[in-house]
Amino acid sequence: GISHLAPEEILYCEATGKKTQVHIRNGSVFICAEGIGEFFRKLTADFISCHRSYIVNLRYVRSVGRAEIHLDGGECVPLSRRLREEVNLRFIKFYAE
């Protein structure tokens, strides 16, 4: 079926093959037929790519570690070394505003 998801409800997205799993605040997971890159281009500026297979919503980031991002709900999402500095800067800027 087709579902409409408000961006502010999305915690993070995960690539699974050529599809994208969308994890939302209430714990539900939706499967989107688009790849993660295409899905990412449709999201708002509150989202950042933290790994080649993951996108997180900065609204729900509790902390940024060396190799993972901790979300408010207790979930951990991997953080690539290549993107660590960019994610840290965006996280700081997001909460400074």
Coordinates of all heavy atoms in Angstrom, one line a residue:
G1 N 0.8 -1.2 0.0 CA 0.0 0.0 0.0 C 0.9 1.2 0.0 O 2.1 1.2 0.0
I2 N 0.2 2.4 0.0 CA 0.9 3.7 0.0 C 0.6 4.3 1.4 O -0.5 4.4 1.8 CB 0.4 4.5 -1.1 CG1 0.7 3.8 -2.5 CG2 0.9 5.9 -1.1 CD1 0.1 4.6 -3.7
S3 N 1.7 4.9 1.9 CA 1.5 5.6 3.2 C 2.2 7.0 3.1 O 3.2 7.1 2.3 CB 2.2 4.9 4.3 OG 1.6 3.7 4.6
H4 N 1.7 8.0 3.7 CA 2.3 9.3 3.8 C 3.0 9.4 5.1 O 2.3 9.2 6.2 CB 1.3 10.4 3.6 CG 1.8 11.8 3.9 ND1 2.6 12.4 3.0 CD2 1.7 12.6 4.9 CE1 3.0 13.6 3.5 NE2 2.5 13.7 4.7
L5 N 4.3 9.7 5.1 CA 5.0 9.9 6.4 C 5.5 11.3 6.5 O 6.1 11.8 5.5 CB 6.2 9.0 6.4 CG 5.9 7.5 6.4 CD1 7.2 6.7 6.3 CD2 5.2 7.1 7.7
A6 N 5.2 12.0 7.6 CA 5.7 13.3 7.8 C 7.2 13.2 8.2 O 7.5 12.4 9.0 CB 4.9 14.0 8.9
P7 N 8.0 14.0 7.6 CA 9.5 13.9 7.9 C 9.8 14.0 9.4 O 10.7 13.3 9.8 CB 10.1 15.1 7.1 CG 9.1 15.4 6.0 CD 7.8 15.1 6.6
E8 N 9.0 14.8 10.1 CA 9.3 14.9 11.6 C 9.0 13.6 12.4 O 9.4 13.5 13.5 CB 8.6 16.1 12.2 CG 7.1 16.1 12.1 CD 6.6 16.7 10.8 OE1 7.3 17.1 9.9 OE2 5.3 16.8 10.7
E9 N 8.3 12.7 11.7 CA 8.1 11.4 12.4 C 9.2 10.4 12.1 O 9.2 9.3 12.8 CB 6.7 10.8 11.8 CG 5.5 11.6 12.3 CD 5.3 11.5 13.8 OE1 5.4 10.5 14.4 OE2 5.1 12.6 14.4
I10 N 10.1 10.6 11.2 CA 11.1 9.7 10.8 C 12.3 9.8 11.8 O 12.8 10.9 11.9 CB 11.6 9.9 9.4 CG1 10.4 9.7 8.4 CG2 12.7 9.0 9.0 CD1 10.7 10.1 7.0
L11 N 12.7 8.7 12.4 CA 13.9 8.7 13.2 C 15.1 8.5 12.3 O 16.1 9.3 12.4 CB 13.8 7.5 14.2 CG 12.8 7.6 15.3 CD1 12.8 6.3 16.1 CD2 13.0 8.8 16.2
Y12 N 15.1 7.4 11.6 CA 16.3 7.1 10.7 C 15.8 6.2 9.6 O 14.7 5.6 9.6 CB 17.4 6.5 11.4 CG 17.2 5.1 12.0 CD1 17.7 4.0 11.3 CD2 16.6 4.9 13.2 CE1 17.6 2.7 11.8 CE2 16.4 3.6 13.7 CZ 16.9 2.6 13.0 OH 16.8 1.3 13.5
C13 N 16.6 6.1 8.5 CA 16.4 5.3 7.4 C 17.6 4.4 7.2 O 18.7 4.8 7.4 CB 16.2 6.1 6.1 SG 14.8 7.3 6.3
E14 N 17.3 3.2 6.7 CA 18.4 2.2 6.5 C 18.2 1.5 5.1 O 17.1 1.1 4.7 CB 18.2 1.1 7.6 CG 19.1 0.0 7.5 CD 18.9 -1.0 8.6 OE1 18.0 -0.9 9.4 OE2 19.6 -2.0 8.6
A15 N 19.3 1.5 4.4 CA 19.3 0.8 3.1 C 19.2 -0.7 3.3 O 20.0 -1.3 4.1 CB 20.5 1.2 2.3
T16 N 18.4 -1.3 2.5 CA 18.3 -2.8 2.5 C 18.2 -3.2 1.0 O 17.1 -3.2 0.5 CB 17.1 -3.3 3.3 OG1 15.9 -2.7 2.8 CG2 17.2 -3.1 4.8
G17 N 19.3 -3.5 0.5 CA 19.4 -3.8 -1.0 C 19.0 -2.6 -1.8 O 19.6 -1.5 -1.5
K18 N 18.1 -2.7 -2.6 CA 17.7 -1.5 -3.4 C 16.4 -0.8 -2.9 O 15.8 0.1 -3.5 CB 17.4 -2.0 -4.9 CG 18.6 -2.5 -5.6 CD 18.4 -2.8 -7.0 CE 19.7 -3.3 -7.6 NZ 19.6 -3.6 -9.0
K19 N 16.1 -1.1 -1.6 CA 15.0 -0.5 -1.0 C 15.4 0.2 0.3 O 16.6 0.1 0.7 CB 13.9 -1.6 -0.6 CG 13.3 -2.3 -1.8 CD 12.3 -3.3 -1.4 CE 11.7 -3.9 -2.7 NZ 10.7 -4.9 -2.3
T20 N 14.5 1.0 0.9 CA 14.9 1.7 2.1 C 13.9 1.4 3.2 O 12.7 1.4 3.0 CB 14.8 3.2 1.8 OG1 15.7 3.5 0.7 CG2 15.2 4.1 3.0
Q21 N 14.4 1.0 4.4 CA 13.5 0.8 5.5 C 13.5 2.2 6.3 O 14.5 2.8 6.6 CB 14.1 -0.2 6.5 CG 14.0 -1.6 6.1 CD 14.5 -2.5 7.2 OE1 14.8 -2.1 8.3 NE2 14.5 -3.8 6.8
V22 N 12.3 2.6 6.6 CA 12.0 3.9 7.2 C 11.5 3.6 8.6 O 10.4 3.0 8.8 CB 11.0 4.8 6.5 CG1 10.8 6.1 7.2 CG2 11.5 5.0 5.0
H23 N 12.3 4.0 9.7 CA 12.0 3.7 11.1 C 11.3 5.0 11.6 O 12.0 6.1 11.6 CB 13.2 3.4 11.9 CG 13.9 2.1 11.4 ND1 13.7 0.9 12.0 CD2 14.7 1.9 10.3 CE1 14.4 0.0 11.3 NE2 15.0 0.6 10.3
I24 N 10.1 4.9 12.2 CA 9.5 6.1 12.7 C 9.3 6.0 14.2 O 9.6 5.0 14.8 CB 8.1 6.3 12.0 CG1 7.1 5.2 12.2 CG2 8.3 6.5 10.5 CD1 5.7 5.4 11.8
R25 N 8.9 7.2 14.7 CA 8.8 7.4 16.2 C 8.0 6.3 17.0 O 8.4 5.9 18.1 CB 8.3 8.7 16.5 CG 9.2 9.8 16.2 CD 8.7 11.2 16.5 NE 7.6 11.2 17.5 CZ 7.2 12.3 18.0 NH1 7.7 13.5 17.6 NH2 6.2 12.3 18.9
N26 N 7.0 5.8 16.4 CA 6.1 4.9 17.2 C 6.7 3.4 17.1 O 6.0 2.5 17.6 CB 4.7 4.9 16.7 CG 4.5 4.3 15.3 OD1 5.4 3.8 14.7 ND2 3.3 4.5 14.8
G27 N 7.8 3.2 16.5 CA 8.4 1.9 16.4 C 8.1 1.2 15.1 O 8.7 0.1 14.9
S28 N 7.2 1.7 14.3 CA 6.9 1.0 13.1 C 8.0 1.2 12.0 O 8.8 2.1 12.1 CB 5.6 1.6 12.5 OG 4.5 1.4 13.3
V29 N 8.1 0.2 11.1 CA 9.1 0.3 10.0 C 8.3 0.1 8.7 O 7.5 -0.8 8.6 CB 10.1 -0.9 10.2 CG1 11.1 -0.8 9.0 CG2 10.8 -0.8 11.5
F30 N 8.6 1.1 7.8 CA 8.0 1.0 6.5 C 9.1 0.7 5.5 O 10.2 1.1 5.6 CB 7.3 2.4 6.1 CG 6.1 2.7 7.0 CD1 6.2 3.3 8.2 CD2 4.9 2.3 6.5 CE1 5.1 3.6 8.9 CE2 3.7 2.6 7.3 CZ 3.9 3.2 8.5
I31 N 8.7 0.0 4.4 CA 9.6 -0.3 3.3 C 9.3 0.6 2.2 O 8.1 0.6 1.7 CB 9.5 -1.8 2.9 CG1 9.8 -2.7 4.1 CG2 10.5 -2.1 1.8 CD1 11.1 -2.7 4.7
C32 N 10.3 1.3 1.7 CA 10.1 2.2 0.5 C 10.8 1.5 -0.7 O 11.9 1.1 -0.5 CB 10.7 3.5 0.8 SG 10.6 4.7 -0.5
A33 N 10.2 1.5 -1.8 CA 10.7 0.9 -3.0 C 11.9 1.7 -3.6 O 12.7 1.1 -4.4 CB 9.7 0.7 -4.1
E34 N 12.1 2.9 -3.2 CA 13.3 3.7 -3.6 C 14.6 3.4 -2.9 O 14.5 2.9 -1.8 CB 13.0 5.2 -3.4 CG 11.8 5.8 -4.1 CD 11.5 7.2 -3.8 OE1 11.7 7.5 -2.6 OE2 11.1 7.9 -4.7
G35 N 15.7 3.6 -3.6 CA 17.0 3.4 -2.9 C 17.2 4.5 -1.9 O 16.5 5.6 -2.0
I36 N 18.1 4.4 -1.1 CA 18.4 5.3 0.0 C 18.8 6.7 -0.5 O 18.5 7.7 0.0 CB 19.3 4.8 1.1 CG1 19.2 5.6 2.4 CG2 20.8 4.7 0.6 CD1 19.6 4.9 3.6
G37 N 19.6 6.7 -1.6 CA 20.1 8.0 -2.2 C 18.9 8.8 -2.7 O 18.8 10.0 -2.5
E38 N 18.0 8.2 -3.4 CA 16.9 8.8 -4.0 C 15.9 9.3 -2.9 O 15.4 10.4 -2.9 CB 16.1 7.9 -4.9 CG 15.0 8.5 -5.7 CD 14.4 7.6 -6.7 OE1 15.0 6.6 -7.1 OE2 13.2 7.8 -7.0
F39 N 15.8 8.5 -1.9 CA 14.9 8.8 -0.7 C 15.5 10.0 0.0 O 14.8 11.0 0.4 CB 14.8 7.6 0.2 CG 13.7 7.8 1.3 CD1 12.4 7.6 0.9 CD2 14.0 8.2 2.6 CE1 11.4 7.7 1.9 CE2 13.0 8.3 3.5 CZ 11.7 8.1 3.2
F40 N 16.8 10.1 0.2 CA 17.5 11.1 0.9 C 17.3 12.5 0.3 O 17.1 13.5 0.9 CB 19.0 10.8 1.1 CG 19.8 11.8 1.8 CD1 19.4 12.3 3.1 CD2 21.0 12.3 1.3 CE1 20.2 13.2 3.8 CE2 21.8 13.2 2.0 CZ 21.4 13.6 3.2
R41 N 17.3 12.5 -1.1 CA 17.2 13.8 -1.8 C 15.8 14.4 -1.6 O 15.6 15.6 -1.8 CB 17.4 13.5 -3.3 CG 18.9 13.3 -3.7 CD 19.1 13.3 -5.2 NE 18.7 12.1 -5.8 CZ 19.4 10.9 -5.8 NH1 20.6 10.9 -5.2 NH2 19.0 9.9 -6.4
K42 N 14.8 13.6 -1.1 CA 13.5 14.1 -0.9 C 13.3 14.6 0.5 O 12.2 15.2 0.8 CB 12.4 13.1 -1.2 CG 12.4 12.6 -2.7 CD 11.4 11.6 -2.9 CE 11.4 11.1 -4.4 NZ 10.4 10.1 -4.6
L43 N 14.2 14.4 1.4 CA 14.1 14.8 2.8 C 14.5 16.2 3.1 O 15.2 16.9 2.3 CB 14.9 13.8 3.7 CG 14.4 12.4 3.7 CD1 15.4 11.5 4.4 CD2 13.0 12.3 4.3
T44 N 14.1 16.7 4.2 CA 14.4 18.1 4.6 C 15.8 18.2 5.1 O 16.5 17.2 5.3 CB 13.4 18.6 5.8 OG1 13.7 17.7 6.9 CG2 12.0 18.4 5.3
A45 N 16.2 19.4 5.4 CA 17.6 19.7 5.9 C 17.9 19.1 7.3 O 19.0 19.1 7.7 CB 17.9 21.2 5.9
D46 N 16.9 18.7 8.0 CA 17.1 18.1 9.3 C 17.7 16.7 9.2 O 18.1 16.1 10.3 CB 15.7 17.9 10.0 CG 15.1 19.3 10.4 OD1 15.8 20.3 10.3 OD2 14.0 19.3 10.8
F47 N 17.9 16.1 8.0 CA 18.4 14.8 7.9 C 19.9 14.9 7.4 O 20.3 15.8 6.7 CB 17.6 14.0 6.9 CG 16.2 13.6 7.4 CD1 15.2 14.5 7.3 CD2 16.0 12.4 8.0 CE1 13.9 14.2 7.8 CE2 14.8 12.1 8.5 CZ 13.7 13.0 8.4
I48 N 20.7 13.9 7.8 CA 22.1 13.8 7.4 C 22.4 12.3 7.2 O 22.0 11.4 7.9 CB 23.0 14.5 8.4 CG1 24.4 14.5 7.8 CG2 23.0 13.7 9.8 CD1 25.3 15.5 8.6
S49 N 23.2 12.1 6.2 CA 23.8 10.8 5.9 C 24.9 10.6 6.9 O 25.9 11.4 6.9 CB 24.2 10.7 4.5 OG 24.8 9.4 4.2
C50 N 24.9 9.5 7.6 CA 26.0 9.2 8.6 C 26.8 7.9 8.2 O 27.7 7.6 8.9 CB 25.4 9.1 10.0 SG 24.2 7.7 10.1
H51 N 26.3 7.3 7.2 CA 26.9 6.0 6.7 C 26.3 5.8 5.4 O 25.3 6.3 5.0 CB 26.5 4.9 7.7 CG 27.1 3.6 7.5 ND1 26.6 2.7 6.6 CD2 28.2 3.0 8.1 CE1 27.3 1.6 6.6 NE2 28.3 1.7 7.5
R52 N 27.0 5.0 4.5 CA 26.5 4.8 3.2 C 25.1 4.1 3.2 O 24.4 4.2 2.2 CB 27.5 4.1 2.3 CG 27.6 2.6 2.7 CD 28.6 1.9 1.8 NE 28.4 0.5 1.9 CZ 28.9 -0.4 1.1 NH1 29.7 0.0 0.1 NH2 28.7 -1.7 1.3
S53 N 24.7 3.5 4.3 CA 23.5 2.8 4.3 C 22.5 3.4 5.3 O 21.4 2.8 5.6 CB 23.7 1.3 4.7 OG 24.5 0.7 3.8
Y54 N 22.8 4.6 5.9 CA 22.0 5.1 7.0 C 21.8 6.6 6.8 O 22.8 7.3 6.5 CB 22.5 4.9 8.4 CG 22.4 3.4 8.8 CD1 23.3 2.5 8.5 CD2 21.3 3.0 9.5 CE1 23.2 1.2 8.9 CE2 21.1 1.7 9.9 CZ 22.1 0.8 9.6 OH 22.0 -0.5 10.0
I55 N 20.6 7.1 7.1 CA 20.3 8.5 7.2 C 19.6 8.7 8.6 O 18.8 7.9 9.0 CB 19.3 8.9 6.1 CG1 19.8 8.7 4.7 CG2 18.9 10.4 6.3 CD1 18.8 8.8 3.6
V56 N 20.0 9.8 9.3 CA 19.3 10.1 10.6 C 18.7 11.4 10.6 O 19.1 12.3 9.9 CB 20.3 10.0 11.8 CG1 20.9 8.6 12.0 CG2 21.4 10.9 11.7
N57 N 17.7 11.6 11.4 CA 17.0 12.8 11.6 C 17.7 13.5 12.8 O 17.6 13.0 13.9 CB 15.5 12.6 11.9 CG 14.7 13.9 11.9 OD1 15.2 14.9 12.2 ND2 13.4 13.7 11.7
L58 N 18.3 14.6 12.6 CA 19.0 15.3 13.6 C 18.2 15.7 14.8 O 18.7 15.8 16.0 CB 19.7 16.6 13.1 CG 20.9 16.3 12.2 CD1 21.3 17.6 11.4 CD2 22.1 15.7 12.9
R59 N 16.9 15.8 14.6 CA 16.0 16.1 15.8 C 16.0 15.1 16.9 O 15.7 15.4 18.0 CB 14.5 16.2 15.3 CG 14.2 17.3 14.4 CD 12.8 17.2 13.8 NE 12.5 18.2 12.9 CZ 11.4 18.9 12.9 NH1 10.6 18.8 13.9 NH2 11.2 19.8 12.0
Y60 N 16.4 13.8 16.5 CA 16.3 12.7 17.5 C 17.7 12.2 17.9 O 17.8 11.2 18.5 CB 15.4 11.6 16.9 CG 14.0 12.1 16.6 CD1 13.6 12.2 15.3 CD2 13.2 12.5 17.6 CE1 12.3 12.7 15.0 CE2 11.9 12.9 17.4 CZ 11.5 13.0 16.1 OH 10.2 13.5 15.8
V61 N 18.7 12.9 17.5 CA 20.1 12.5 17.9 C 20.4 12.9 19.3 O 20.3 14.1 19.6 CB 21.1 13.0 16.9 CG1 22.5 12.7 17.4 CG2 20.9 12.5 15.5
R62 N 20.7 12.0 20.2 CA 21.0 12.3 21.6 C 22.5 12.6 21.7 O 22.9 13.5 22.3 CB 20.7 11.1 22.5 CG 21.0 11.5 23.9 CD 20.7 10.4 24.9 NE 19.7 9.4 24.5 CZ 19.8 8.1 24.8 NH1 20.8 7.6 25.5 NH2 18.9 7.2 24.4
S63 N 23.4 11.7 21.0 CA 24.8 12.0 21.1 C 25.5 11.3 19.9 O 24.9 10.4 19.2 CB 25.4 11.4 22.4 OG 25.2 10.0 22.4
V64 N 26.7 11.8 19.6 CA 27.5 11.3 18.5 C 28.7 10.7 19.0 O 29.5 11.4 19.7 CB 27.8 12.4 17.4 CG1 28.7 11.9 16.3 CG2 26.5 13.0 16.9
G65 N 28.9 9.4 18.9 CA 30.1 8.8 19.4 C 31.2 8.7 18.3 O 31.1 9.3 17.2
R66 N 32.2 7.9 18.5 CA 33.2 7.7 17.5 C 32.8 6.8 16.3 O 33.2 7.1 15.2 CB 34.5 7.0 18.1 CG 35.2 7.9 19.1 CD 36.5 7.3 19.6 NE 37.3 6.7 18.6 CZ 38.3 7.3 17.9 NH1 38.5 8.5 18.1 NH2 39.0 6.6 17.1
A67 N 32.0 5.8 16.6 CA 31.5 4.9 15.5 C 30.0 4.7 15.4 O 29.6 3.9 14.6 CB 32.2 3.5 15.7
E68 N 29.3 5.4 16.3 CA 27.8 5.3 16.2 C 27.1 6.6 16.7 O 27.7 7.4 17.3 CB 27.4 4.1 17.1 CG 27.5 4.3 18.6 CD 28.9 4.1 19.1 OE1 29.6 3.2 18.6 OE2 29.3 4.8 20.0
I69 N 25.9 6.7 16.3 CA 25.0 7.8 16.7 C 23.9 7.2 17.6 O 23.3 6.2 17.3 CB 24.4 8.5 15.5 CG1 25.5 9.1 14.7 CG2 23.3 9.5 15.9 CD1 25.0 9.7 13.4
H70 N 23.7 7.8 18.8 CA 22.7 7.3 19.7 C 21.5 8.2 19.6 O 21.6 9.5 19.6 CB 23.2 7.4 21.1 CG 24.4 6.5 21.3 ND1 24.3 5.2 21.6 CD2 25.7 6.8 21.3 CE1 25.6 4.7 21.7 NE2 26.4 5.7 21.5
L71 N 20.3 7.6 19.4 CA 19.1 8.3 19.2 C 18.3 8.4 20.5 O 18.5 7.6 21.4 CB 18.2 7.7 18.1 CG 18.9 7.6 16.7 CD1 18.0 6.9 15.7 CD2 19.3 9.0 16.2
D72 N 17.3 9.3 20.6 CA 16.5 9.5 21.8 C 15.8 8.2 22.3 O 15.7 8.0 23.4 CB 15.5 10.6 21.6 CG 16.1 12.0 21.5 OD1 17.2 12.1 22.0 OD2 15.4 12.9 21.0
G73 N 15.4 7.4 21.3 CA 14.7 6.2 21.7 C 15.6 5.0 22.1 O 15.1 3.9 22.3
G74 N 16.9 5.2 22.1 CA 17.8 4.2 22.5 C 18.5 3.4 21.4 O 19.3 2.6 21.6
E75 N 18.0 3.7 20.1 CA 18.6 3.1 19.0 C 20.0 3.6 18.7 O 20.3 4.7 19.0 CB 17.8 3.3 17.7 CG 16.3 2.9 17.8 CD 15.4 3.9 18.3 OE1 15.8 4.9 18.9 OE2 14.2 3.7 18.2
C76 N 20.9 2.7 18.2 CA 22.2 3.1 17.7 C 22.3 2.9 16.2 O 21.9 1.9 15.7 CB 23.3 2.3 18.5 SG 23.5 2.8 20.2
V77 N 22.9 3.9 15.6 CA 23.0 3.8 14.1 C 24.5 4.0 13.8 O 25.2 4.8 14.5 CB 22.2 5.0 13.4 CG1 22.5 5.0 12.0 CG2 20.8 4.8 13.8
P78 N 25.1 3.2 12.9 CA 26.5 3.3 12.7 C 26.9 4.7 12.1 O 26.1 5.3 11.3 CB 26.8 2.2 11.7 CG 25.5 1.6 11.2 CD 24.5 2.1 12.1
L79 N 28.1 5.1 12.4 CA 28.7 6.3 11.9 C 30.0 6.0 11.2 O 30.9 5.4 11.8 CB 28.9 7.3 13.0 CG 29.7 8.6 12.7 CD1 28.9 9.4 11.7 CD2 29.9 9.4 14.0
S80 N 30.1 6.3 9.9 CA 31.4 6.0 9.2 C 32.5 7.0 9.6 O 32.2 8.2 9.9 CB 31.1 6.0 7.7 OG 31.0 7.3 7.2
R81 N 33.7 6.6 9.5 CA 34.8 7.5 9.8 C 34.9 8.6 8.8 O 35.2 9.7 9.2 CB 36.2 6.7 9.7 CG 36.4 5.7 10.9 CD 37.7 5.0 10.7 NE 37.6 4.3 9.4 CZ 38.4 3.2 9.1 NH1 39.2 2.8 10.0 NH2 38.2 2.6 8.0
R82 N 34.6 8.4 7.6 CA 34.6 9.4 6.5 C 33.6 10.5 6.8 O 33.9 11.7 6.5 CB 34.3 8.7 5.2 CG 34.3 9.7 4.0 CD 34.0 8.9 2.7 NE 32.7 8.3 2.7 CZ 31.6 8.9 2.3 NH1 31.6 10.2 2.0 NH2 30.5 8.2 2.3
L83 N 32.5 10.2 7.4 CA 31.4 11.2 7.6 C 31.4 11.8 9.0 O 30.6 12.7 9.3 CB 30.1 10.6 7.3 CG 29.9 10.3 5.8 CD1 28.6 9.5 5.6 CD2 29.9 11.5 4.9
R84 N 32.3 11.3 9.9 CA 32.2 11.6 11.4 C 32.3 13.1 11.6 O 31.5 13.7 12.3 CB 33.3 10.9 12.1 CG 33.3 11.2 13.6 CD 34.4 10.5 14.4 NE 34.6 9.1 14.0 CZ 35.7 8.5 13.9 NH1 36.9 9.2 14.1 NH2 35.8 7.3 13.6
E85 N 33.3 13.8 10.9 CA 33.5 15.2 11.2 C 32.3 16.0 10.7 O 31.8 16.9 11.4 CB 34.8 15.7 10.5 CG 35.1 17.2 10.7 CD 36.4 17.6 10.1 OE1 37.2 16.7 9.7 OE2 36.6 18.8 10.0
E86 N 31.8 15.7 9.5 CA 30.6 16.4 9.0 C 29.4 16.3 9.9 O 28.7 17.2 10.1 CB 30.3 15.9 7.6 CG 29.1 16.6 6.9 CD 28.7 16.0 5.6 OE1 29.5 15.2 5.0 OE2 27.6 16.3 5.1
V87 N 29.2 15.0 10.3 CA 28.0 14.8 11.2 C 28.2 15.6 12.5 O 27.2 16.2 13.0 CB 27.9 13.3 11.5 CG1 26.9 13.0 12.6 CG2 27.5 12.5 10.2
N88 N 29.4 15.6 13.1 CA 29.6 16.3 14.4 C 29.3 17.8 14.2 O 28.7 18.4 15.0 CB 31.0 16.1 14.8 CG 31.2 14.9 15.7 OD1 30.4 14.6 16.5 ND2 32.3 14.2 15.5
L89 N 29.8 18.4 13.1 CA 29.6 19.8 12.8 C 28.1 20.1 12.6 O 27.6 21.1 13.2 CB 30.4 20.2 11.6 CG 31.9 20.3 11.8 CD1 32.6 20.6 10.4 CD2 32.3 21.3 12.8
R90 N 27.4 19.3 11.9 CA 26.0 19.5 11.6 C 25.2 19.3 12.9 O 24.2 20.0 13.2 CB 25.4 18.5 10.6 CG 25.8 18.8 9.2 CD 24.9 19.8 8.5 NE 23.5 19.6 8.6 CZ 22.8 18.8 7.8 NH1 23.3 18.2 6.8 NH2 21.5 18.7 8.0
F91 N 25.6 18.3 13.8 CA 24.9 18.1 15.0 C 25.0 19.3 15.9 O 24.1 19.8 16.5 CB 25.5 16.9 15.7 CG 24.9 16.6 17.1 CD1 23.6 16.2 17.3 CD2 25.8 16.6 18.2 CE1 23.1 15.9 18.5 CE2 25.3 16.3 19.5 CZ 23.9 16.0 19.6
I92 N 26.3 19.9 16.0 CA 26.5 21.0 16.9 C 25.7 22.3 16.3 O 25.1 23.0 17.1 CB 28.0 21.3 16.9 CG1 28.7 20.2 17.7 CG2 28.3 22.7 17.5 CD1 30.2 20.2 17.6
K93 N 25.8 22.4 15.0 CA 25.1 23.6 14.4 C 23.6 23.5 14.6 O 22.9 24.5 14.9 CB 25.4 23.6 12.9 CG 24.8 24.8 12.2 CD 25.2 24.8 10.8 CE 24.4 26.0 10.1 NZ 24.7 26.0 8.6
F94 N 23.0 22.3 14.4 CA 21.6 22.0 14.6 C 21.1 22.4 16.0 O 20.1 23.1 16.1 CB 21.3 20.6 14.3 CG 19.8 20.3 14.3 CD1 19.0 20.5 13.2 CD2 19.2 19.7 15.4 CE1 17.7 20.3 13.2 CE2 17.8 19.5 15.4 CZ 17.1 19.7 14.3
Y95 N 21.8 22.0 17.0 CA 21.4 22.3 18.4 C 21.8 23.7 18.9 O 21.3 24.2 19.9 CB 21.8 21.2 19.3 CG 20.9 20.1 19.2 CD1 21.3 18.9 18.4 CD2 19.6 20.1 19.7 CE1 20.4 17.9 18.2 CE2 18.8 19.0 19.5 CZ 19.1 17.9 18.8 OH 18.3 16.9 18.6
A96 N 22.7 24.4 18.1 CA 23.1 25.7 18.5 C 22.1 26.7 18.0 O 21.9 27.8 18.6 CB 24.5 26.1 17.9
E97 N 21.3 26.4 17.0 CA 20.3 27.3 16.5 C 19.0 27.3 17.3 O 18.6 26.4 18.0 CB 19.9 26.9 15.0 CG 21.1 27.1 14.1 CD 20.8 26.6 12.7 OE1 19.8 25.9 12.5 OE2 21.7 26.9 11.8

